[in-house]
Amino acid sequence: MLSSLVRLPLSVTGRQAVVVSPFLLDPSGTSLLRLSSSTSAPQAMGETPKPKSGPKSSAPSCPKDEAYLQKVIPKRISLFEEIKAQQIAEREQIGGERIKITLPDGSVKEGKKWLSTPLDIAKDISKSLAANAVISQVNGILWDMAGPLGVDCELKLFTFETDEGHDTFWHSSAHILGESLEQQYGCKLCIGPCTTRGEGFYYDAFYGGLGLNEDHFKQIESAAMKAVAVREAQLAQYNYILVVGEEEANTGQALSHNSFLS
């Protein structure tokens, strides 16, 4: 189904990049996760990797740093939920004023300042658009579908088939990849989520002395699909928050355990 494997150039001592094809978790429902790890020269774009000779290696057992995970992940989630709740409360206090949202065809929708979102507007247009829109553009700036609108604006909505939709979807998929790497191996995330239009995405992580092979990749794929299944079962959305000033400083403290991110 996928004839070649995309490899992005990366070679960092002590770290490995998990590289994914552009079609991880395609909205069509087809699972096309393909992973590669390499500290050698990258494969030429479009070139099909040559099969390697020698016996097939198996994934060695690797002790996971459970103490690390139990310490940092609840802390991150707690901080995220705290800041998110504060921002929602603030918007509810100052929001509600009527605003005008102009669509590409010139039609105008009415919204409520700091309360209405692009997703609300999409739902007002059609259920199909709301189900398939991945990202929006507000006054020329890419805007999360769940991001509240604060002023009169021009709004565009993009589905997965667009460049903007591809970039956003793969960015979110990279977060899923990062989550599966953390949960599976207790590694420390480094660079990501990185995307290159038309080429896919990767997440760079520090695994200590562990060297990844194809059998590890199967485990990573399984963990990624599990993470998606959990969210689908909970009807959960992927959300983000914008932090500045003191909030940004607090976020930095939450990442201080990871020398690659702090």
Side-chain angles (χ1 to χ4, degrees):
M1 189 174 294
L2 210 60
S3 60
S4 63
L5 187 66
V6 174
R7 295 194 178 205
L8 303 184
L10 182 67
S11 178
V12 183
T13 303
R15 287 152 50 181
Q16 294 190 35
V18 176
V19 184
V20 190
S21 92
F23 298 102
L24 167 64
L25 310 176
D26 189 296
S28 66
T30 305
S31 170
L32 298 177
L33 180 61
R34 297 289 299 278
L35 304 172
S36 175
S37 174
S38 176
T39 54
S40 59
Q43 199 86 26
M45 293 303 299
E47 179 182 345
T48 302
K50 298 178 181 179
K52 297 180 179 179
S53 59
K56 181 179 179 181
S57 58
S58 60
S61 60
C62 177
K64 182 166 59 174
D65 191 346
E66 293 287 357
Y68 169 79
L69 294 177
Q70 293 174 8
K71 177 181 179 181
V72 303
I73 292 182
K75 183 177 180 180
R76 284 201 312 237
I77 294 175
S78 176
L79 179 61
F80 179 92
E81 294 296 343
E82 179 184 347
I83 295 176
K84 179 182 175 183
Q86 290 175 352
Q87 292 184 355
I88 291 175
E90 291 172 358
R91 289 196 295 265
E92 289 177 344
Q93 288 181 353
I94 65 176
E97 180 183 338
R98 292 183 179 181
I99 57 174
K100 294 181 179 180
I101 297 105
T102 304
L103 302 177
D105 63 0
S107 61
V108 178
K109 297 288 184 179
E110 188 176 275
K112 294 182 178 181
K113 185 177 182 178
W114 294 123
L115 299 179
S116 297
T117 68
L119 182 59
D120 293 328
I121 305 304
K123 289 178 179 178
D124 191 47
I125 297 174
S126 73
K127 291 183 178 179
S128 175
L129 179 60
N132 291 287
V134 176
I135 190 69
S136 73
Q137 188 181 78
V138 178
N139 291 339
I141 299 173
L142 289 181
W143 199 257
D144 191 85
M145 289 295 294
L149 302 169
V151 295
D152 293 342
C153 60
E154 295 182 355
L155 175 68
K156 294 181 180 180
L157 301 170
F158 300 101
T159 62
F160 179 75
E161 288 72 22
T162 63
D163 286 339
E164 292 82 0
H166 276 106
D167 292 347
T168 301
F169 194 87
W170 293 337
H171 181 106
S172 297
S173 298
H175 279 295
I176 296 172
L177 175 60
E179 176 183 343
S180 66
L181 293 173
E182 269 194 328
Q183 294 292 345
Q184 192 70 26
Y185 300 109
C187 62
K188 293 179 173 62
L189 300 180
C190 302
I191 302 172
C194 300
T195 62
T196 303
R197 180 165 292 175
E199 296 182 3
F201 60 87
Y202 69 89
Y203 223 124
D204 183 23
F206 177 74
Y207 301 85
L210 176 66
L212 300 184
N213 58 43
E214 293 294 334
D215 293 300
H216 288 105
F217 300 156
K218 295 175 184 177
Q219 297 173 6
I220 296 169
E221 176 179 1
S222 176
M225 299 309 295
K226 180 179 179 180
V228 173
V230 168
R231 282 165 177 75
E232 289 180 343
Q234 298 175 345
L235 299 178
Q237 290 184 334
Y238 290 92
N239 295 312
Y240 86 102
I241 54 175
L242 179 64
V243 293
V244 294
E246 183 178 350
E247 289 179 347
E248 185 177 10
N250 292 336
T251 303
Q253 292 178 9
L255 299 175
S256 61
H257 60 274
N258 187 337
S259 59
F260 298 101
L261 299 178
S262 57

